[in-house]
Amino acid sequence: MADPATSSTAPPPTRRTAFAEGVDQVRAAATTEPGRLRIIGALLALLVVAFGAVTAWQTSDRAAAADDVLHQSQPLTTAAADIYRSLADANTAASSGFLAGGQETAESRERYEKDIDTAAEGLVTAAGNSDPGSPSSAAVTKLNKLLPEYKGLVERARTYNRQGFPVGGAYLRYANQKMQKEMLPAAEDLYKKENQRLRDDYADATPYPWAAIALGVLALAALAWAQHRTYRRTHRVLNHGLVAATAAATVVLLWLVVGHTVARAGLEDSYEHGVRSLNVLQDARIASLKARGNENLTLVARGAETVKVGEETVDAYDHDFTEDMGALGEGLTLARRLADDRDGATPVAQAESNMAEWKNRHTAARAQDDNGNYEQALALVIGGKGATGECFDSVDANLASALEHEQNEFRRAAGDGLDAMGGLPAGAAVLAVLGAAGAVLGIGRRLSEYR
């Protein structure tokens, strides 16, 4: 009898993992035709369902981005541009009212107050749509702090001006400096941030869903192979279930490619013939507002602010006016080139004509001022008919008309792009489920022949 102390016990057999056992079962099943058919049916169903799921996921993301372009980021970009324009126009109206002195019209005062209110409302909207701590939120906070400071300086300038104190001009120049050096740069920064968000949404909405397309092609190839295999073994041309699955997958793939191509074309059209034109027109309108403000301040300062240009010392505000008019001219030229129909090109061409006349009248006003005829120069700038203010108002009105037209063009094209993706995520999911069911039923029909 063996000594128990010296006898060795055989180690217990190692338990195999569930995965390994599953692999063995699949291998065993693959040795028979029914087993192979079950595996083929499961893989076909999985491929079709995966195709539908990825299609629904990718098209949902692109549709959401396209919806943001149409209903959120572009309107917010326009709102940011309106904040900038309202601030610049308020500055222009304030300088015009200052030049009028005690004869400031109710219309001029109302324009200033309306611009300030519009800017304040725009800041409230921007604040509500900005993420806390974001760069946009910081710009909005800065503008909310500076706006009442600017209003206070303008009111002091008006008060002293009505009393005939020269210090009123200094207050107005200080208010203008705060607007030009602090407020408008902050508003421009907000506009750029919103414009970047708009470009990001376009970048999310327009790329082709290559993963879904690749899965669709793979699913169709697998279904074609399965039908060819069935034909070789049975000599039956059609398997109704597999044909139905192939038809469903084909519809989803065609819908995906055609729908996204149409959507992409609409979104690209909305950018090329909508957003680009809007940006150029908004910049041109801002340039005209800045030019008008500097033209007024030339008369307010009366040579108190100068700048060195080469070897020559010139009036700082008149120098800025010239640069602003140059930017306006370049913007109008580009806007006319981008306009793709008469309704868009006509107001731009009219604004160019108004600008040319504005420059001629400004030259005449400067000549009167340089010759010591201040009152005549003032009449040529803020007077009624024949004044530069008349040209500025025409430029501004024509640019507003062009902006409205391009905004409508944007909405139409972007709306068409969004509509082209309508129903695609849900439709792809439903058709994928039907296609998977067809594949399973088609393979099941073959399996029934072995029972």
Side-chain angles (χ1 to χ4, degrees), residues 281 284-285 288 328 332 347 351 394-404:
L281 288 167
R285 197 178 189 190
S288 73
L328 173 60
L332 291 175
S394 296
V395 168
D396 193 65
N398 281 309
L399 286 175
S401 176
L403 279 164
E404 182 179 3

Side-chain angles (χ1 to χ4, degrees), residues 204-430:
D204 291 339
T206 53
Y208 273 103
W210 293 116
I213 292 173
L215 271 174
V217 172
L218 183 60
L220 284 176
L223 287 165
W225 172 83
Q227 290 177 83
H228 180 66
R229 183 180 185 278
T230 300
Y231 170 72
R232 286 178 58 191
R233 282 163 173 72
T234 65
H235 298 290
R236 294 171 186 163
V237 177
L238 298 177
N239 178 296
H240 295 102
L242 293 178
V243 169
T246 303
T250 301
V251 169
V252 173
L253 184 59
L254 288 175
W255 191 0
L256 172 64
V257 173
V258 174
H260 190 272
T261 299
V262 173
R264 181 188 175 99
L267 288 169
E268 288 181 345
D269 183 55
S270 73
Y271 187 85
E272 290 297 322
H273 301 292
V275 173
R276 284 189 65 198
S277 293
L278 285 169
N279 289 343
V280 170
L281 288 167
Q282 285 161 350
D283 290 344
R285 197 178 189 190
I286 287 166
S288 73
L289 288 163
K290 291 169 73 175
R292 179 59 177 172
N294 283 316
E295 183 178 47
N296 290 340
L297 286 164
T298 302
L299 294 176
V300 172
R302 299 194 183 189
E305 300 286 340
T306 60
V307 65
K308 195 93 167 173
V309 179
E311 297 298 323
E312 187 180 1
T313 300
V314 297
D315 186 285
Y317 295 116
D318 193 49
H319 174 262
D320 290 344
F321 168 84
T322 303
E323 290 195 337
D324 292 333
M325 291 298 277
L328 173 60
E330 291 174 4
L332 291 175
T333 300
L334 181 55
R336 183 161 42 81
R337 192 179 306 135
L338 290 173
D340 55 348
D341 58 19
R342 177 173 294 184
D343 290 339
T346 298
V348 175
Q350 291 174 344
E352 287 183 304
S353 176
N354 300 144
M355 183 193 72
E357 180 61 24
W358 183 1
K359 292 169 75 174
N360 291 334
R361 294 183 185 183
H362 175 80
T363 300
R366 294 308 310 139
Q368 290 290 344
D369 192 31
D370 292 340
N371 290 329
N373 301 319
Y374 179 79
E375 293 300 326
Q376 288 88 335
L378 188 63
L380 285 172
V381 172
I382 66 167
K385 190 172 179 60
T388 60
E390 188 179 44
C391 299
F392 162 72
D393 289 339
S394 296
V395 168
D396 193 65
N398 281 309
L399 286 175
S401 176
L403 279 164
E404 182 179 3
H405 172 76
E406 297 300 336
Q407 187 72 38
N408 291 333
E409 289 290 292
F410 162 79
R411 291 195 191 99
R412 177 194 57 76
D416 290 345
L418 179 59
D419 291 342
M421 286 189 279
L424 181 52
V430 171

